[in-house]
Amino acid sequence: MAIFDDKVRKQIGDILTKLGDRVNLLYFTQEMECGICKDIHEFLNEFASLSDRIGLTTFDFVKDRDKAEHYKIDKIPAILLLDKNDNDTGIRFFGLPGGYEINSFIQGLMEVSGVKEPLSQGAAEMIKKIDRDVHIQVFISLTCPYCPAAVSAAHRIALENPRVRADMVDAGVFPQLAVKYNVSSVPKTIINEKIEIIGAEPIEKLIETAAKA
Amino acid sequence: MEFKLNIGAPDTEDRVLRMDAGVLYDVIIVGGGPAALTAAVYCMRKGVSTGLITMDFGGQLSDTSTVENYMGYSYITGVDLANKFKEQVRQFEIAIADGKKAVAIEDGTEKVVRLDDGSAFRARSLIITTGKSSRKLGVPGEIELTGRGVAYCAICDAPLFAGKRVVVVGGGNSGIESAIDLAKIAEHVTVVQFLPELTADRVLVDAFEAFTNTTTLYEHEVMEIVGTQTVESVKIRNRVTGDVSTHEVQGIFIEIGLDPNTVSVKGLLKLNEFGEIEVDCACRTNRPGIFAAGDVTSVPFKQIIIAAGEGAKAALSACEYILRES
């Protein structure tokens, strides 16, 4: 079964013609794939087929333990974005970037490929100044129109500073994490396990909060 | 699997023109919904220098599932229609500041719009199209517990309440739509309605009444939302008898309509009793050179097609004002 209908496939294909440098996707799953893992696998195969500048490598969370540890992947399904030189961008999607999140997925790919809007000077400087490890987790649901903005802002910070890792986490796929972090509305952002942001905030505010974490 | 694609191809060739604090624009439009985007197209076609300051392209339209009463389309999703509006605006070299919120507007020899990131832009005239957003209940506990069980977006947050007990406040279309979404997955849904009957459309009420895990409290109102870390219970008062009862729930969805977004113009523009910006039939406010259009204004009936039409009118009024003043 095809994941995309013809209209969506064409729309995505059109956008991907603007892709700059090559982007390499890593997918962590397991041999006996869970339902959603299988769907994501198909989604990624189909997505990667829409552009010759998208690479896709699949790892087994159990068998490729060393790879999972290298990329600090502690749960699956996980999608990572690597740049053309296979450098880790810190951008991760835990769950299927469907529904509204297709937008943050495409934006992430575009930005990693080098096609991105310039940040304001203040924002760019603030991101550079972050000199500690920062881990941003953005909890979302696929039916939330406000969530992709929160995800993309976190991903952009990760892209601009190698000390920052930013995860999209589908609360529906990881209910135990939603309980752990007390997620009862989305988007909800957790920074370094201790700071919580409810709702989508402009990237400047997110950077400010991340810098203090 | 559904994909709500609303991202466009990046503007690699026709680079986006950023708004410039050094420029005195003829018109600055504040907002991003149908009124704003229509006004933008009209201003650009008139050839006046135009800036657009917006939190999100599409506004409330982007959160609308389907539209069946915008002429030219018998059926289109809100996201698709918003994209078409945006594409039509992007044909022009319009200056844009997006993802930004206007926090204050000042009127003088020049009009100044101050944004939440500290920047400020100047114009000879303004069109305010800031729309509406969810109305708050205004009861104790609401603000403290927002995002901790108090929710305003059922399509976003309903999945987080699977197997839980929830209250929905409001018996209009948005309240009953939310109650239906929640009844599918929650253990129990209590609808609290201020009036003696539900005011939602008949088709929605019928669909809602088909569920067996719901209770409707007519002529009741929420007095307080109680909880330390998350919502634990809601105190609800019977408006006829005055009795207050406590309902143990994990969530409360507030769907009691919308309030106009007028924070940036409070004290500057005249508002009506509903807090909407008062405009005359040419979209003029009480301040010369400041125009308003769409759901934020006193114009009756909040509809996409009306907002778009009003946006066109506000743009033409602003262009006329600039011609006369120069």
Side-chain angles (χ1 to χ4, degrees):
Chain A
M1 192 196 74
I3 290 272
F4 301 123
D5 62 29
D6 290 344
K7 183 182 153 211
V8 169
R9 185 180 302 112
K10 183 178 180 309
Q11 278 179 309
I12 295 176
D14 286 349
I15 297 173
L16 292 179
T17 60
K18 302 281 179 77
L19 207 62
D21 295 328
R22 189 178 171 79
V23 180
N24 292 311
L25 301 172
L26 297 191
Y27 179 43
F28 281 88
T29 179
Q30 60 191 0
E31 200 171 351
M32 289 288 286
E33 288 196 306
C34 61
I36 182 88
C37 303
K38 229 179 259 174
D39 290 346
I40 297 176
H41 216 152
E42 273 180 53
F43 164 83
L44 290 173
N45 277 330
E46 212 170 306
F47 199 95
S49 74
L50 297 175
S51 168
D52 55 11
R53 274 164 286 175
I54 299 175
L56 173 61
T57 313
T58 303
F59 290 115
D60 187 303
F61 187 55
V62 180
K63 289 181 187 158
D64 301 309
R65 195 68 240 169
D66 52 326
K67 287 281 178 198
E69 273 166 22
H70 173 75
Y71 290 109
K72 297 189 176 128
I73 297 302
D74 58 355
K75 55 189 171 286
I76 54 167
I79 306 167
L80 282 70
L81 267 53
L82 270 52
D83 71 10
K84 60 175 174 181
N85 300 320
D86 279 331
N87 292 318
D88 185 2
T89 60
I91 297 175
R92 281 124 174 77
F93 293 84
F94 292 96
L96 202 169
Y100 282 100
E101 288 311 319
I102 187 70
N103 300 294
S104 64
F105 188 67
I106 293 175
Q107 184 161 342
L109 247 83
M110 281 293 166
E111 292 185 345
V112 170
S113 83
V115 179
K116 53 188 181 183
E117 301 254 345
L119 289 168
S120 72
Q121 205 188 335
E125 280 169 12
M126 271 199 296
I127 295 182
K128 268 196 214 116
K129 278 194 197 139
I130 299 176
D131 58 358
R132 281 168 296 163
D133 289 334
V134 174
H135 182 208
I136 308 176
Q137 298 179 81
V138 185
F139 285 86
I140 57 98
S141 70
L142 299 183
T143 48
C144 162
Y146 315 104
C147 290
V151 171
S152 291
H155 281 165
R156 182 65 190 268
I157 300 172
L159 181 62
E160 303 293 333
N161 187 323
R163 301 293 296 268
V164 182
R165 259 188 309 147
D167 306 345
M168 178 210 83
V169 185
D170 183 343
V173 177
F174 297 95
Q176 72 283 18
L177 288 181
V179 169
K180 177 182 170 190
Y181 293 107
N182 213 345
V183 179
S184 68
S185 83
V186 289
K188 179 165 181 173
T189 304
I190 308 287
I191 304 175
N192 283 358
E193 304 289 321
K194 51 185 186 203
I195 299 177
E196 295 186 349
I197 301 171
I198 287 163
E201 293 213 345
I203 190 163
E204 285 83 4
K205 289 231 177 81
L206 183 61
I207 300 166
E208 225 173 272
T209 315
K212 283 185 283 189
Chain B
M1 182 84 244
E2 209 185 346
F3 294 93
K4 304 252 185 201
L5 196 66
N6 54 21
I7 191 172
D11 302 270
T12 37
E13 295 89 16
D14 47 320
R15 280 190 43 80
V16 181
L17 192 60
R18 294 269 138 214
M19 278 187 71
D20 183 345
V23 171
L24 176 64
Y25 291 94
D26 288 329
V27 184
I28 287 180
I29 300 161
V30 185
L37 300 180
T38 309
V41 168
Y42 270 75
C43 286
M44 293 310 286
R45 284 172 55 89
K46 282 280 177 192
V48 299
S49 72
T50 310
L52 179 68
I53 297 169
T54 176
M55 270 296 281
D56 55 340
F57 272 98
Q60 293 173 66
L61 178 53
S62 304
D63 313 337
T64 307
S65 53
T66 61
V67 178
E68 298 178 23
N69 52 9
Y70 193 83
M71 294 307 289
Y73 302 97
S74 44
Y75 174 96
I76 188 165
T77 68
V79 165
D80 281 349
L81 187 58
N83 281 341
K84 287 182 185 292
F85 285 1
K86 186 174 164 185
E87 272 166 34
Q88 198 164 345
V89 170
R90 286 293 187 92
Q91 287 179 73
F92 303 98
E93 262 217 355
I94 183 169
I96 291 175
D98 58 356
K100 305 281 193 294
K101 192 172 178 180
V103 289
I105 284 166
E106 294 158 19
D107 188 14
T109 41
E110 299 169 0
K111 330 274 183 210
V112 179
V113 184
R114 298 196 181 278
L115 307 191
D116 56 353
D117 64 353
S119 58
F121 298 104
R122 304 175 300 130
R124 297 164 67 198
S125 73
L126 300 177
I127 301 175
I128 311 297
T129 57
T130 42
K132 290 195 163 181
S133 44
S134 302
R135 177 176 297 160
K136 306 267 185 290
L137 262 182
V139 300
E142 181 180 18
I143 291 173
E144 297 80 353
L145 293 166
T146 291
R148 297 184 165 77
V150 176
Y152 300 89
C153 177
I155 56 163
C156 303
D157 301 333
L160 301 164
F161 290 86
K164 297 187 176 169
R165 300 181 71 83
V166 296
V167 162
V168 174
V169 189
N173 281 343
S174 58
I176 299 306
E177 273 176 25
S178 302
I180 292 169
D181 282 348
L182 284 159
K184 288 175 195 161
I185 55 166
E187 184 194 310
H188 189 267
V189 179
T190 303
V191 171
V192 178
Q193 166 69 326
F194 198 77
L195 301 171
E197 72 275 313
L198 297 177
T199 52
D201 294 343
R202 193 70 241 167
V203 281
L204 288 173
V205 173
D206 289 345
F208 169 67
E209 283 173 350
F211 289 95
T212 53
N213 58 338
T214 66
T215 310
T216 307
L217 302 174
Y218 298 99
E219 293 186 86
H220 278 65
E221 63 185 330
V222 172
M223 303 302 290
E224 188 181 348
I225 303 165
V226 184
T228 45
Q229 281 302 305
T230 59
V231 170
E232 290 158 16
S233 65
V234 175
K235 286 188 179 155
I236 299 171
R237 191 178 80 101
N238 183 322
R239 299 184 58 234
V240 181
T241 64
D243 292 344
V244 175
S245 52
T246 299
H247 297 249
E248 284 184 16
V249 295
Q250 289 84 51
I252 172 167
F253 284 75
I254 297 164
E255 301 283 355
I256 50 171
L258 302 166
D259 268 336
N261 297 319
T262 52
V263 174
S264 61
V265 298
K266 280 251 161 72
L268 178 69
L269 300 183
K270 194 167 174 222
L271 308 179
N272 70 5
E273 56 179 311
F274 306 110
E276 299 163 336
I277 300 173
E278 259 184 27
V279 290
D280 67 9
C281 62
C283 298
R284 287 183 288 237
T285 68
N286 60 313
R287 292 273 179 167
I290 304 185
F291 303 85
D295 284 10
V296 77
T297 68
S298 54
V299 169
F301 311 119
K302 312 307 178 192
Q303 296 288 316
I304 299 163
I305 199 160
I306 293 176
E310 289 287 314
K313 206 202 291 173
L316 295 172
S317 289
C319 292
E320 198 181 77
Y321 168 84
I322 293 159
L323 266 179
R324 212 176 44 231
E325 294 297 306
S326 55

